[in-house]
Amino acid sequence: MAGSARALLAACLLAPIPLQAQVSPPGFGGLKHVRWGPDEGAPNGVFRITQTRDGYIWLAGDALYRFDGISFERIDWPADAARRRVEPTGLLAGRDGTLWVGLGGNGGVAMYRGGRLVDMHLPAPPASIGPMAQAPDGSIWVASGRFDTQLRRLRGGKWESIGEKLGRPEGAVMGLVIAPDSGVWIALTHQGGNSGALAYLAPGTTRFQLLPDRVSGRPRIALDPSGALWVSDGTGTRMVRDGHGRAPARAIQFPSAPNVRSATLSFDRQGGLWRTTAAIGISYIPSAAGARATAYPFDAANGLTSDFSYESFVDREGSVWIATETGIDQFRRASATQELAIPADPVHGLALAGASDGSVYIESNDTLFRIAPGGAPRPILKLDGSNLSMCRARAGGIWIVQNARTLHIVGEHIETAPGFPGQGTSTYCAEDGQGRLWVAIFGEPLVWRDVGGWHHATGALAQQRVWDMIATPAGGIAFTGRPDFTTLEGDRLTLRKGFGTATMLAAGTRDIFLSDDRGLVRLRDGKLTRLDQSRFPWLIWLRSLVQTARGETWLVARTGISRVATADLDRAFQDPDAPLPRTLFNSQDGLVSAAQHAGFAGLQSTVAGDGRVWFLNRQGAGYFDPATLKQNALPPPVTIRSLTSGGRSWRDPGSLTLPPGTRALDIAYAGLSLAVPQRVHFRYRLDGVDDGWVDAGTRRVASYANLGPGSYRFHVIAANNDGVWNRSGAEIGFEIRPTFVQSWPFRLLCAAALLALLWLAYSMRMRVVASRIRLRMAERFEERERIARELHDTLLQAIQSLTLRFQLAVDDLPAKQPGRPALLQAIDTADRVIAEGRDRVLDLRSRQAADIEQVIRELIARQGFGPDVEICVAINGTPRALDTLALEETGRIAGEALFNIWRHACARRVEVEIDYGASFALRIADDGVGIDPELAARGRTGHYGLAGMRERARRLRGSLVIRPSADQGTELLLTVPGGIAYKAEKRSLLARLWSRG
């Protein structure tokens, strides 16, 4: 569309237009410019710039700085250094990754190593260090920045002064370049700055030779990719020696800009020459050695951080960096190119159509441009300003439909026919396979044209109100009208309802696509399939879609353009779980503005015959050239920038030992891909803490808390802007020393204290158990003594009384009385019963005063062993009084054991061993016939002696073992806890409280 009609349609949906990126000036259209000024944290007064092998950009200004693409870090001298206030005057990145820093104020040369600046002890340093260079043999050449003949070289770890020895001409060195063949070029300026000279030290020679070429003051030199020497001075920039060291066959010279005495030089990988001016910005000469090279300026008005530019540099990824008075600038190849020849028309919008011959036609500001395959835009027709629609003609060329006329344009040949009937506003046109040219008119029915002229749609087709329209791959047309989606194949009309507001209707190589607020819809073989925004949010509100012969699908959205593989897109439609990988292009890739607003209907992108993908935006038109889109194949160098904990920071740490008590720390890292540093992606892992890799996204700090003492190892890997991973990454090991309370001695002390507490608790508990057992046994003894008293006072006295009465009766009987002997025998039996009763009563009473040794000796004596049986009683430890219960039960067990030995063992020797230790132990052994192990374990059926012994041991919370001896005989071992066996002492308050519980 064009003119007032398109402005009216755009106003129907117009939303606030976001801020547009600045359009590059001529010569810079294929480059992306990024700036870092004071607002982005850049230092002021940057006059030197370089890059070390680890990927850092280093800057020299009021101090030394390094830049990782995101943040600037100042590198100060160590706190104990004597030259903390010395400013850098030069930078050199060594091939081994070392950074060399030239210093002013007689500071000499320093080297950055191990996270700090180290003085290299240059003898008698000049007032200022000038240019520095590294030779192929690794030696470092340093020139003085003053008017003298000093030239120093560091080789083999030793400095040597070689200026006079090599015949260095007088003058201040403005440039020092060492060629790959070890030839040394220097540029000098003489006193007063009005004249200069070039000198060359050829490989294998010992004296500099002055070149005959005349140069003015303050010359600068550089080698281009072919090895040719270029010089820049007050007269301009020119090649003075070709790659073979000879004068160039063709003079190549670019004049100096006004007020520029000399410009520093650098060459990019494509042979483009970049010049700084220290006054009026920079200039760029693409293919400087070419026959038609042109210099293009770029200054602060175009977005440069400052017109005072001092040095340029090309990094490892091919980006060009500029050091200026107020920051740094980066120029890199842009993926998208904004075509400067096609102007913007934000009010009326632009129209686009592609022809079958591969040409692309774009209308802007009432001018029609034709872009032939491989060519540049060329205006071919000035239109009259009325509204128009533009679409492809199947016979070749394009159609332009206006109210007053219809144009068929093939190449630059134009045929004119009558315009469509009425005064409506056309929104778009499309030609179907039958040669009918259909035109959508805003708010009115469709009209169409064939060889017979113009016709109005009839029937159901006349009821449709069309907003956007395309020709389908099958030869029909498709159009949208809120909320319908309609296709017309021949005369068959198919209406589909239920769609949101469509922002795009596009034809692929096989399918029809529609985009609305719910995602992307595909119509294939009459079947609709949707990719919902819940799966791929970026597929909503697309503005255009094109598919190429390379198998790519380009999707134009409002804020970026995505490229996907067409096969992946088909797979995503077929499989609800399939991913859809994409490459996103936005302002970081050279897109200068968003797509045209949805109020501008019609085709928004197309593929040219040369493969370029053209698209419309609010700044005009741009394109991608897939053939030149190169993946950044360089994996990013990864470094650990710092480790910070407890207010202290370690820069570039290797391995660290952290103070005791360290609990939290932050690890800063960098992925030094500087093409698009905002897209560098990270993953990290701390061994022993993280179960696997942590996806950090673009975050550049890992924070940990609640760390304990021990050894740790942190790993980080990174991917560049194109997803190429450096899987080796970087790592750092650190150890956190334990505090005293975290140390092993403290843990051992705690373990010992815990064991002591457990032992104390166990001992107290045993005391309580023993006390309770004693209490229960005391009750038993009291009951036995009561029974003994009752037996003595009742039964025994009654029997004795009866016996006396019977004795008196017998005494009265005559001696010859027949029954008297029987009565006397009965009285004797009664006396024996009374004696046994007294013994039993005595047994019922406790032996309060006896000890176990005495009890056992009594048991041995009572048992009546023969004189041939040797009996030994041994005492171990200090004898202690046994508790009454323990004495009673132990005596019973010993008595049963001695009885069994006397009755069954046929022993010749009996040993009794009493052990007064922490636990009380009694051992009785003999050398008799022994005992069957099964009998010792289970006892004899119907006999309860062994079972009774074990029951008594259990009542004492002790253990009883009966087993055959190792040599011969039987051994009995009784062990009773000391707290139960020994007579109780005075208990503590805590024990008494425990016993109450």
Side-chain angles (χ1 to χ4, degrees):
M1 296 182 298
S4 59
R6 274 183 291 186
L8 174 64
L9 291 172
C12 296
L13 296 173
L14 198 58
I17 298 176
L19 181 66
Q20 307 298 316
Q22 189 164 6
V23 177
S24 299
F28 290 82
L31 299 173
K32 171 62 180 175
H33 171 230
V34 185
R35 51 174 284 157
W36 288 270
D39 291 343
E40 291 77 30
N44 287 319
V46 181
F47 58 89
R48 294 289 181 268
I49 183 169
T50 191
Q51 183 181 36
T52 46
R53 191 173 63 182
D54 58 10
Y56 280 111
I57 292 291
W58 294 86
L59 312 171
D62 62 324
L64 179 66
Y65 298 86
R66 71 178 181 183
F67 179 55
D68 66 354
I70 299 296
S71 60
F72 296 86
E73 181 181 6
R74 178 170 173 147
I75 309 297
D76 286 320
W77 283 90
D80 56 350
R83 299 173 175 175
R84 296 189 64 191
R85 303 298 180 186
V86 178
E87 295 182 357
T89 60
L91 299 175
L92 170 65
R95 288 191 294 274
D96 62 352
T98 302
L99 177 72
W100 299 84
V101 184
L103 303 171
N106 300 105
V109 177
M111 178 174 66
Y112 182 81
R113 179 172 58 193
R116 56 187 288 163
L117 288 168
V118 180
D119 188 2
M120 296 306 294
H121 304 291
L122 176 66
S128 177
I129 296 297
M132 299 185 293
Q134 186 174 26
D137 63 1
S139 60
I140 303 298
W141 293 57
V142 178
S144 168
R146 300 301 185 187
F147 290 94
D148 53 37
T149 60
Q150 291 193 55
L151 185 63
R152 309 290 183 88
R153 180 171 63 192
L154 178 64
R155 183 167 61 179
K158 296 182 179 180
W159 287 103
E160 53 183 339
S161 181
I162 57 175
E164 294 184 4
K165 177 181 177 181
L166 298 178
R168 203 212 84 175
E170 292 187 358
V173 177
M174 301 297 294
L176 171 62
V177 176
I178 301 180
D181 63 357
S182 298
V184 181
W185 298 91
I186 58 173
L188 304 113
T189 187
H190 297 147
Q191 290 278 7
N194 294 320
S195 64
L198 299 176
Y200 178 59
L201 179 67
T205 63
T206 59
R207 304 288 292 181
F208 276 99
Q209 300 294 323
L210 286 172
L211 271 66
D213 303 76
R214 299 185 60 180
V215 295
S216 63
R218 304 180 187 278
R220 306 293 181 128
I221 56 175
L223 297 176
D224 70 10
S226 70
L229 179 70
W230 293 67
V231 63
S232 174
D233 58 11
T235 64
T237 301
R238 59 195 179 277
M239 181 191 295
V240 294
R241 293 292 182 273
D242 63 16
H244 302 287
R246 298 186 292 265
R250 177 177 59 87
I252 303 175
Q253 181 163 352
F254 303 96
S256 175
N259 301 320
V260 177
R261 300 187 63 180
S262 71
T264 64
L265 309 175
S266 65
F267 288 87
D268 61 27
R269 294 178 178 178
Q270 290 74 34
L273 173 60
W274 296 79
R275 300 186 294 179
T276 61
T277 65
I280 56 172
I282 64 172
S283 67
Y284 169 51
I285 306 173
S287 302
R292 298 182 179 180
T294 303
Y296 297 98
F298 195 100
D299 56 20
N302 303 121
L304 198 68
T305 51
S306 173
D307 283 336
F308 297 94
S309 58
Y310 297 122
E311 190 169 75
S312 58
F313 173 77
V314 181
D315 71 10
R316 62 189 290 271
E317 294 171 293
S319 298
V320 178
W321 297 81
I322 309 295
T324 77
E325 180 66 26
T326 58
I328 58 174
D329 296 76
Q330 179 198 47
F331 293 87
R332 53 183 167 81
R333 298 292 162 182
S335 300
T337 301
Q338 187 72 16
E339 181 51 70
L340 303 180
I342 299 177
D345 190 354
V347 175
H348 304 100
L350 285 77
L352 176 146
S356 57
D357 66 352
S359 298
V360 175
Y361 295 82
I362 298 176
E363 182 275 330
S364 177
N365 289 280
D366 298 328
T367 299
L368 181 66
F369 296 85
R370 178 176 180 262
I371 308 166
R378 183 170 178 270
I380 61 172
L381 178 65
K382 189 68 176 178
L383 299 168
D384 59 9
S386 62
N387 73 86
L388 60 84
S389 296
M390 197 161 71
C391 56
R392 171 179 296 196
R394 290 188 177 270
I398 63 169
W399 294 101
I400 294 180
V401 180
Q402 297 179 290
N403 296 84
R405 60 180 178 173
T406 299
L407 304 177
H408 182 207
I409 302 174
V410 180
E412 297 182 11
H413 176 72
I414 303 173
E415 296 179 359
T416 303
F420 63 87
Q423 297 298 315
T425 301
S426 63
T427 60
Y428 200 64
C429 63
E431 183 180 2
D432 64 16
Q434 299 179 18
R436 295 177 295 182
L437 177 63
W438 295 85
V439 178
I441 302 175
F442 185 68
E444 297 182 14
L446 284 167
V447 297
W448 54 277
R449 179 182 182 275
D450 59 9
V451 294
W454 288 99
H455 311 274
H456 289 278
T458 59
L461 187 59
Q463 306 300 317
Q464 304 301 311
R465 297 297 179 262
V466 178
W467 170 249
D468 202 359
M469 181 168 57
I470 60 169
T472 69
I477 62 170
F479 50 86
T480 58
R482 301 181 188 91
D484 302 333
F485 170 38
T486 306
T487 56
L488 178 65
E489 302 293 343
D491 294 326
R492 182 166 58 88
L493 185 69
T494 304
L495 180 65
R496 299 171 177 85
K497 294 183 175 293
F499 293 89
T501 300
T503 56
M504 178 204 78
L505 184 63
T509 56
R510 174 183 175 184
D511 311 308
I512 302 173
F513 296 92
L514 178 145
S515 178
D516 58 14
D517 59 352
R518 291 187 293 155
L520 179 66
V521 177
R522 182 186 72 177
L523 177 62
R524 171 178 288 185
D525 300 331
K527 181 180 178 181
L528 288 171
T529 313
R530 176 182 290 274
L531 293 180
D532 194 82
Q533 60 90 21
S534 61
R535 285 180 65 191
F536 308 111
W538 49 276
L539 288 178
I540 63 171
W541 293 321
L542 298 177
R543 288 293 289 121
S544 182
L545 179 151
V546 292
Q547 294 182 322
T548 70
R550 297 167 59 98
E552 299 171 341
T553 298
W554 294 76
L555 304 109
V556 180
R558 294 182 297 177
T559 57
I561 297 177
S562 298
R563 180 183 63 183
V564 303
T566 302
D568 289 340
L569 182 64
D570 289 340
R571 194 175 299 111
F573 274 110
Q574 295 166 4
D575 182 357
D577 297 321
L580 184 56
R582 66 163 175 160
T583 302
L584 174 65
F585 301 94
N586 54 25
S587 61
Q588 295 173 340
D589 303 285
L591 294 181
V592 300
S593 77
Q596 285 201 120
H597 195 274
F600 299 117
L603 193 66
Q604 300 294 309
S605 63
T606 191
V607 181
D610 55 13
R612 287 184 291 179
V613 178
W614 286 85
F615 56 90
L616 304 179
N617 57 36
R618 294 173 181 177
Q619 294 284 353
Y623 64 86
F624 290 94
D625 187 353
T628 63
L629 290 180
K630 303 298 183 182
Q631 183 188 45
N632 183 0
L634 291 175
V638 184
T639 64
I640 306 293
R641 289 184 54 194
S642 65
L643 186 149
T644 303
S645 177
R648 185 179 176 187
S649 183
W650 293 265
R651 183 190 298 123
D652 298 343
S655 60
L656 293 174
T657 300
L658 301 180
T662 299
R663 301 284 293 171
L665 54 83
D666 296 324
I667 301 175
Y669 46 82
L672 293 156
S673 174
L674 303 180
V676 189
Q678 298 85 351
R679 290 181 181 167
V680 176
H681 195 94
F682 297 93
R683 294 174 185 165
Y684 63 79
R685 183 184 76 240
L686 182 60
D687 292 343
V689 175
D690 297 320
D691 294 332
W693 288 103
V694 177
D695 192 338
T698 58
R699 183 162 47 90
R700 294 181 174 230
V701 176
S703 298
Y704 290 93
N706 299 321
L707 296 177
S711 296
Y712 297 88
R713 184 156 292 276
F714 177 81
H715 309 262
V716 59
I717 59 176
N720 67 12
N721 56 300
D722 284 332
V724 178
W725 284 92
N726 177 351
R727 298 198 178 276
S728 298
E731 61 182 44
I732 173 179
F734 59 92
E735 179 183 359
I736 299 177
R737 288 181 175 175
T739 61
F740 175 70
V741 297
Q742 294 172 326
S743 64
W744 280 110
F746 180 79
R747 293 179 181 179
L748 290 176
L749 288 176
C750 289
L754 178 60
L755 290 174
L757 289 174
L758 291 174
W759 175 252
L760 178 61
Y762 172 76
S763 299
M764 294 176 64
R765 185 61 181 167
M766 290 303 297
R767 288 175 180 268
V768 171
V769 172
S771 176
R772 290 177 178 174
I773 292 175
R774 290 190 187 99
L775 180 60
R776 290 197 297 269
M777 296 308 296
E779 293 173 352
R780 288 175 56 193
F781 284 131
E782 288 177 0
E783 180 64 17
R784 290 170 62 179
E785 289 177 350
R786 185 189 65 78
I787 294 172
R789 288 194 299 271
E790 293 295 331
L791 288 174
H792 180 272
D793 295 342
T794 58
L795 181 61
L796 291 179
Q797 288 184 0
I799 293 174
Q800 190 172 18
S801 177
L802 289 173
T803 302
L804 290 174
R805 292 181 68 181
F806 275 109
Q807 184 65 47
L808 291 173
V810 170
D811 290 342
D812 291 339
L813 290 176
K816 301 296 186 177
Q817 184 70 29
R820 190 172 185 273
L823 288 175
L824 287 174
Q825 187 178 1
I827 291 172
D828 291 338
T829 302
D831 288 337
R832 287 196 300 271
V833 170
I834 291 172
E836 290 179 3
R838 287 195 182 100
D839 291 339
R840 298 306 180 193
V841 168
L842 180 60
D843 288 340
L844 285 173
R845 292 184 177 274
S846 60
R847 298 182 174 89
Q848 297 290 341
D851 58 33
I852 188 62
E853 181 183 359
Q854 178 183 349
V855 170
I856 290 177
R857 290 188 182 277
E858 291 178 357
L859 290 172
I860 292 172
R862 186 186 305 171
Q863 193 61 57
F865 285 98
D868 57 342
V869 178
E870 181 185 359
I871 299 177
C872 298
V873 179
I875 306 297
N876 296 325
T878 303
R880 298 173 61 181
L882 294 187
D883 182 79
T884 304
L885 169 64
L887 179 62
E888 182 71 23
E889 298 292 0
T890 302
R892 298 283 183 171
I893 293 172
E896 182 68 24
L898 292 170
F899 173 77
N900 287 333
I901 293 173
W902 172 79
R903 185 173 182 180
H904 301 290
C906 300
R908 309 297 296 174
R909 179 180 174 83
V910 178
E911 295 178 358
V912 178
E913 185 178 337
I914 303 172
D915 187 8
Y916 294 98
S919 297
F920 173 79
L922 173 65
R923 175 178 173 273
I924 302 176
D926 65 74
D927 61 352
V929 297
I931 188 171
D932 182 66
E934 185 175 354
L935 180 63
R938 299 182 180 180
R940 182 176 292 130
T941 304
H943 295 259
Y944 302 100
L946 296 181
M949 294 165 70
R950 288 192 172 90
E951 290 172 359
R952 293 179 187 278
R954 282 197 294 270
R955 281 199 291 268
L956 294 176
R957 298 293 194 271
S959 64
L960 179 66
V961 177
I962 303 174
R963 60 196 174 195
S965 296
D967 297 330
Q968 186 178 1
T970 304
E971 180 183 42
L972 175 145
L973 179 62
L974 171 67
T975 304
V976 181
I980 295 176
Y982 301 124
K983 185 168 289 187
E985 299 175 355
K986 185 177 179 180
R987 293 183 299 167
S988 65
L989 175 62
L990 184 60
R992 291 197 299 269
L993 291 175
W994 183 286
S995 64
R996 291 180 182 178

